[in-house]
Every structure is written in structure tokens, then in C-alpha cells.
Amino acid sequence: LLKQKANNSSKPLSTGQTDTKKKQPLKATKSPQVPAINGNGTVVKTKSTNKMVTGSAKDSPPAGKPESKGVTVNKNLNGTKSNGKGCKEKKKNGIVVKEKDELKHKRRKAEEHVEQQPKEADIWFDDVDPKDIEAAIGPEAAKIARRNLGLETEQSQSVEQVLVKEKAFDGLTRAVAMDCEMVGVGPKGEDSIVARVSIVNQFGKCIYDKYVKPTEKVTDYRTAVSGIRPQNINTGEDFKTVQKEVAEILKGRILVGHALKNDLKVLFLDHPQKKIRDTQRYKPFKERVKSSRPSLKLLCEKLLNVQVQTAEHCSIQDAQAAMRLYTLEKKKWEAAVKNKANNKNCK
């Protein structure tokens, strides 16, 4: 019986030994005690089981050690958090410092900008498009240029304020602008005769404005466009008188206008080609508004930023608009005419 018990007890012992051997890597210091136990089977069995239990209990600390490691990790994490807070505070302090520096820098820049603002005396040229000035120098310079040219774009400003220079000379100038209003004659009113002639000087001041008596029966007053009514021309000036007076004004002067060929045709007048400045035929204007035959309305809208011919046409306003377009490009225009004349003389 003892032998059987001993044999029976040896089986779990081997398993215990194998288990302890398996556990040796985890607890190497305690493993030598297990193979030293020999003797009574029950004792060995209980001891082996105790060893196993204690081994498992003792083996648990390694599982617990990671927890302690975890704790240290948490501590480290807490440490890093606290450090992180410190870093954040430093960063915040750094940002505050940076913001202060940026504010100082902005103030300095603003002061420099104020110092560098162009003055009215600096913007002396009147032959440059304000848009080009704005692109090159800035909006303040462009504003001054527009003010100098009479092109300020405030809503309160009327068309007349843009087209006419206030407190300017109101007599004859070297250049004058002319515009005529016409009425229709003939069976369908397709042929035109002059009904009104208006001439303005270089500053947009009206120097001549007269209605003309019709030389033929009017079949279409074209009031919606011309603004002419029967009472205007029935009491008008005789055509021959108007023709003579206009010819006298234009003599030796630069004639400015829009589609001047039509105006001269109805007046039965001629003018030297080298002294005609037609805003419809000026190439730079055509290029800017991208039209081969631009209307006066389009040119004023795009280049002067004003609306003309919104209802019935007014020959005074149309002449003023043509003159304003001319004075906008006067220096360039005259230089181009001079160069063209010099090139012809060279040939």
C-alpha cells in the first residue's frame, strides 16, 4: 500500500516539479527547494501543493510589479502633465511676449505707413490713369490723383462736378469741345439736320449753346435721345448765323468731341485733321474698353466712373464728357500726335 501510495504520489510530484520548472524563470530563487523534498508521499504532496500555491502566490508579485510600473508610469505621466502645464504656461508667457512684440511691430509699421503717406504735392502728374497710380503707389495716391483730375467717386458728387472744373476760366481756351443734337427730316426721318450746338472750353465751362431753326420740315424730333422739342427749335437761331459763329470759335483751335465727323457734317463745316481729337477714334481708349467703336457713355463709365446719357441727351454734357476724356490723356495724346507729325515729315 505504501509503495502504491508512493507511486501515486510520485506522479503529481513530477507534475509539480515540471510546474515548478516551468515557473523557474519567473522565480528562480525559490525553485531549488522543490527538488530537495523527498520522503512521505502525503507530506510531499501537501508540500508540493503548498509550494505550488505559494509559488503561484509568490509568482503573482511579478504580475503586480507591472502594476507598480504602471503606477510609476502614471507618476511619470503626472510628472509629464505637470511639466506639460509648466511648458504651456511658458508657452503662454512666450505667446504673450510675442503678441506684445507683434503689437509694437504693428504700431511701428503703422507709424511708418503714416509717415510714408503720399501728400497732394507729391502727386503732381495729371496724365496717368488713377487705376495705374493705385496699382503702383496705393489707394491714397490714387484718391489724390482723382481729386486733382476731378474724378472723385463719392456718391454725393454729381456728374457736373466731375466734368466741370470749379472756379476755372470760363472763356475761350486753346482746346474746345463741341457736340450737336440732331432731328430727323425726310419721309422716314432718317436724314439729320442740326437742332442744337454746344461748345465748352478746356475746363468744361460752356462758352456757346444755341438751338437752331430747322432748314427743312422735321419729321422726327427724336426727343427721347436728342431732348429736342418743337418749341426749342421754332424759336432758335438762324442756321447761317450759328454756322458762322461756330466756325469763328473753332478757327485755329484744337477741336475735341465724340464722333466729330457727324457734328461737322450737319454744320457743313470742315476742320484740319491734325487739330481734331476724337474720343471715339483714340486707340488707347478703344483698347481700354475693348471696343472698336466705343460709345461716349461706355468711355465715361469705364474711364471717368460717371454715368452720362442715362435719359435724354444734353449736348453741353456730352461736350463736357468728351473734353474730360481728352484732358485725362492730354499729354500722351498730344505727344502721340506730335510724334506722328514728325514721322510724316521724316518720310
Side-chain angles (χ1 to χ4, degrees), residues 83-315:
N83 291 335
K85 282 178 185 176
C87 292
K88 280 181 183 177
E89 283 169 8
K90 283 178 185 176
K91 280 179 184 175
K92 280 179 185 176
N93 292 333
I95 290 163
V96 170
V97 172
K98 279 181 183 176
E99 283 175 355
K100 283 180 182 176
D101 291 337
E102 282 174 6
L103 283 168
K104 283 180 185 176
H105 184 63
K106 280 178 183 175
R107 279 177 196 164
R108 203 181 301 115
K109 267 203 167 183
E111 286 169 5
E112 286 172 5
H113 184 66
V114 170
E115 288 172 6
Q116 289 172 4
Q117 286 293 344
K119 295 176 183 177
E120 196 150 348
D122 300 331
I123 312 301
W124 54 268
F125 34 82
D126 62 352
D127 59 338
V128 181
D129 190 346
K131 288 179 182 177
D132 296 337
I133 294 171
E134 188 169 354
I137 304 171
E140 283 297 318
K143 193 177 179 182
I144 293 166
R146 284 193 185 96
R147 197 185 307 131
N148 291 342
L149 292 167
L151 303 177
E152 286 185 5
T153 58
E154 280 85 358
Q155 291 179 351
S156 60
Q157 199 169 36
S158 67
V159 175
E160 192 178 347
Q161 283 176 301
V162 174
L163 302 180
V164 184
K165 196 168 186 178
E166 285 184 40
K167 298 175 183 177
F169 177 63
D170 56 1
L172 276 168
T173 52
R174 186 169 168 264
V176 292
M178 182 178 72
D179 188 74
C180 298
E181 296 299 341
M182 302 158 201
V183 290
V185 294
K188 294 181 181 178
E190 290 176 352
D191 296 327
S192 298
I193 60 166
V194 66
R196 185 184 181 185
V197 184
S198 301
I199 301 172
V200 300
N201 70 6
Q202 197 169 316
F203 306 104
K205 301 279 185 177
C206 184
I207 53 175
Y208 188 89
D209 181 40
K210 281 189 178 181
Y211 289 100
V212 185
K213 273 184 183 176
T215 52
E216 297 179 48
K217 187 184 177 182
V218 178
T219 52
D220 186 1
Y221 283 91
R222 305 173 185 171
T223 308
V225 176
S226 67
I228 303 294
R229 288 163 177 81
Q231 61 268 29
N232 299 137
I233 55 175
N234 289 341
T235 57
E237 188 70 75
D238 183 61
F239 173 76
K240 289 284 180 185
T241 306
V242 171
Q243 186 188 46
K244 190 180 177 182
E245 288 171 349
V246 169
E248 195 64 35
I249 292 169
L250 301 185
K251 193 175 180 180
R253 288 185 169 84
I254 291 170
L255 177 60
V256 180
H258 190 82
L260 279 167
K261 186 180 177 182
N262 300 326
D263 299 316
L264 292 169
K265 186 180 177 181
V266 293
L267 284 166
F268 296 98
L269 288 174
D270 197 11
H271 199 72
Q273 192 64 40
K274 63 180 181 180
K275 287 195 174 288
I276 289 176
R277 306 289 181 267
D278 197 326
T279 53
Q280 190 185 55
R281 300 180 68 183
Y282 186 52
K283 196 176 277 185
F285 286 165
K286 290 181 185 180
E287 289 169 358
R288 280 192 207 175
V289 299
K290 295 174 183 177
S291 173
S292 57
R293 286 185 67 192
S295 65
L296 185 63
K297 185 177 181 178
L298 179 67
L299 290 172
C300 288
E301 192 178 325
K302 295 286 185 183
L303 305 178
L304 302 177
N305 202 24
V306 292
Q307 298 282 337
V308 297
Q309 299 178 345
T310 52
E312 293 177 6
H313 293 196
C314 172
S315 53

